[in-house]
Amino acid sequence: MSILIKIAEIEAEMARTQRNKATAHHLGLLKAKIAKLRRELITPKGGGGGAAGEGFDVAKTGDARIGFVGFPSVGKSTLLSNLAGVYSEVAAYEFTTLTTVPGVIRYKGAKIQLLDLPGIIEGAKDGKGRGRQVIAVARTCNLILIVLDVLKPLGHKKLIEKELEGFGIRLNKQPPNIGYKRKDKGGINFTSTCVQTELDQDTVKSILAEYKIFNADITLRSDSTADDLIDVVEGNRVYVPCIYVLNKIDQISIEELDIIYKVPHCVPISAHSRWNFDDLLEKMWDYLKLVRIYTKPKGQLPDYTSPVVLPDEHTTVEDFCLKIHKSLMKELKYALVWGASVKHNPQKVGREHVMIDEDVIQLVKK
């Protein structure tokens, strides 16, 4: 019996089951079973591994990576060629793009890699089309742009979200606030710091038993669901910000456009007519959460043309040095920083100092 049939059967059973307190335990078990089967689909057993998808993943360059995901012929290639000036084959029929086409744009001093991924079809997470490789590349991106046709957005949006979720990509979500630690003995130690509406000790135990985990510390720090717990136990989920790009707005009325603008995480554009690109770039910059640090050689003016770009969560002086070269940390005596992260300009700081966007730094060696 193939994995897909097993998944379909469990999904059918979940659809038949009424949702209430008595069945929560059973539903949690079924969700855990599905998650395990999905993982087998992504990483087939018998680790020999066949040949990888030809010419699929592209070497990561630049400071961030953005993937364009969408159904065939919604204008991903047109968007890439108009944004980055890269020629990705464009035609009016579906499935024109067959491998990943990379392009690079410079925006606010940062070098951002754009990937035009082949169109995904329904059932990609189950390996249809080149779906599996497409979504595997999407996992490595810092930001995903889901390109939708404005005339049929919602159906497509739900389908693509389902495909990405099935591959362990969580869009615009934070990792669940659950403490999970495996032990050698001592059973399941369950603590909750707030009221739980879905999970109780028995449900948690049965989900963990499905994974053959009988000794662990579980701490729920927020009102969590069975899916959250499964995500934490699986441990292979990636949390990626996502923007929905509604293309082809030259085909709708102004009133419809006003409604679209109120949808969260959405940017309406026209890739063909190049409308609203500046809004899209600005939103991309906000979601990537990059921090620019300018360098200042001793006795010279700061270099504002090429900043060192760091991700938002790693902006200490040490991270800055490691980004340039590993050996810099050994030679560093202290750093001088100008900007909003310090009280005095300049201020002498050590390796733990956290910098913020558009600070200027000068390194002093031993």
Side-chain angles (χ1 to χ4, degrees):
M1 196 160 141
S2 80
I3 297 177
L4 288 176
I5 298 170
K6 285 182 190 168
I7 290 178
E9 280 184 0
I10 297 174
E11 280 177 343
E13 190 180 339
M14 282 172 73
R16 285 199 304 271
T17 311
Q18 282 188 333
R19 288 173 185 270
N20 53 40
K21 275 196 171 157
T23 60
H25 177 86
H26 178 59
L27 283 169
L29 256 175
L30 294 178
K31 283 177 179 171
K33 280 184 178 161
I34 282 191
K36 279 177 70 180
L37 291 167
R38 285 262 155 82
R39 185 170 33 144
E40 277 179 39
L41 264 185
I42 301 172
T43 51
K45 283 181 176 168
E54 293 304 310
F56 236 80
D57 201 8
V58 179
K60 205 165 181 175
T61 59
D63 303 306
R65 179 179 219 183
I66 299 178
F68 293 9
V69 178
F71 278 95
S73 68
V74 288
K76 298 189 294 296
S77 301
T78 316
L79 179 58
L80 178 81
S81 48
N82 283 345
L83 267 178
V86 174
Y87 181 69
S88 174
E89 195 174 323
V90 180
Y93 55 86
E94 304 200 332
F95 296 109
T96 327
T97 309
L98 293 173
T99 62
T100 311
V101 180
V104 174
I105 54 168
R106 286 202 91 92
Y107 187 66
K108 296 194 177 181
K111 212 167 142 196
I112 299 171
Q113 184 182 37
L114 305 176
L115 297 182
D116 175 18
L117 301 172
I120 35 180
I121 51 174
E122 203 175 337
K125 64 178 183 298
D126 310 325
K128 281 190 192 165
R130 306 279 303 262
R132 196 181 286 178
Q133 294 115 312
V134 174
I135 302 180
V137 176
R139 275 178 76 98
T140 65
C141 295
N142 304 91
L143 170 66
I144 290 177
L145 294 190
I146 293 185
V147 187
L148 302 166
D149 190 330
V150 80
L151 301 173
K152 40 187 176 184
L154 281 172
H156 278 184
K157 174 174 180 272
K158 288 204 172 82
L159 281 171
I160 289 176
E161 280 172 351
K162 193 177 170 207
E163 299 300 322
L164 294 176
E165 292 259 323
F167 243 86
I169 297 175
R170 301 286 175 263
L171 302 174
N172 292 328
K173 280 187 190 168
Q174 290 302 317
N177 198 352
I178 298 177
Y180 164 68
K181 190 178 173 206
R182 288 189 76 161
K183 308 181 291 189
D184 293 335
K185 54 180 185 281
I188 301 288
N189 187 4
F190 173 81
T191 44
S192 164
T193 57
C194 58
V195 180
Q196 297 294 324
T197 52
E198 187 176 320
L199 290 177
D200 56 16
Q201 186 151 5
D202 294 337
T203 313
V204 169
K205 276 187 175 171
S206 64
I207 289 174
L208 291 175
E210 179 63 38
Y211 284 97
K212 299 188 171 52
I213 296 167
F214 303 105
N215 303 297
D217 290 334
I218 296 282
T219 314
L220 305 179
R221 301 192 191 89
S222 60
D223 186 5
S224 308
T225 62
D227 291 325
D228 291 341
L229 180 62
I230 291 166
D231 283 354
V232 170
V233 175
E234 283 273 347
N236 60 355
R237 307 296 190 233
V238 285
Y239 296 85
V240 187
C242 163
I243 299 173
Y244 302 102
V245 179
L246 292 174
N247 189 15
K248 309 188 183 175
I249 54 168
D250 42 0
Q251 298 174 11
I252 58 168
S253 66
I254 295 287
E255 291 76 23
E256 289 171 304
L257 195 57
D258 283 342
I259 297 168
I260 287 170
Y261 247 111
K262 293 178 182 139
V263 182
H265 312 299
C266 245
V267 182
I269 61 154
S270 168
H272 190 70
S273 316
R274 304 192 180 209
W275 292 349
N276 210 16
F277 275 15
D278 43 0
D279 205 13
L280 174 63
L281 285 166
E282 196 51 52
K283 197 149 195 160
M284 275 156 54
W285 181 259
D286 290 345
Y287 278 56
L288 282 170
K289 294 196 172 88
L290 296 176
V291 172
R292 293 160 293 173
I293 308 293
Y294 300 112
T295 54
K296 179 188 179 305
K298 196 174 176 186
Q300 293 173 27
L301 286 171
D303 176 14
Y304 288 115
T305 52
S306 49
V308 174
V309 179
L310 301 170
D312 185 38
E313 60 271 18
H314 299 294
T315 59
T316 61
V317 174
E318 185 168 358
D319 294 322
F320 172 84
C321 294
L322 292 173
K323 170 95 187 202
I324 295 170
H325 200 276
K326 292 191 194 88
S327 65
L328 260 181
M329 266 327 290
K330 293 177 189 146
E331 300 168 8
L332 181 74
K333 190 175 179 187
Y334 60 86
L336 293 171
V337 173
W338 290 256
S341 68
V342 289
K343 282 183 184 171
H344 316 290
N345 279 331
Q347 186 169 322
K348 208 167 153 179
V349 297
R351 63 170 65 186
E352 274 88 39
H353 175 74
V354 177
M355 297 180 286
I356 58 176
D357 195 24
E358 304 209 78
D359 276 4
V360 174
I361 187 171
Q362 179 184 330
L363 300 178
V364 178
K365 292 184 179 178
K366 288 172 183 165

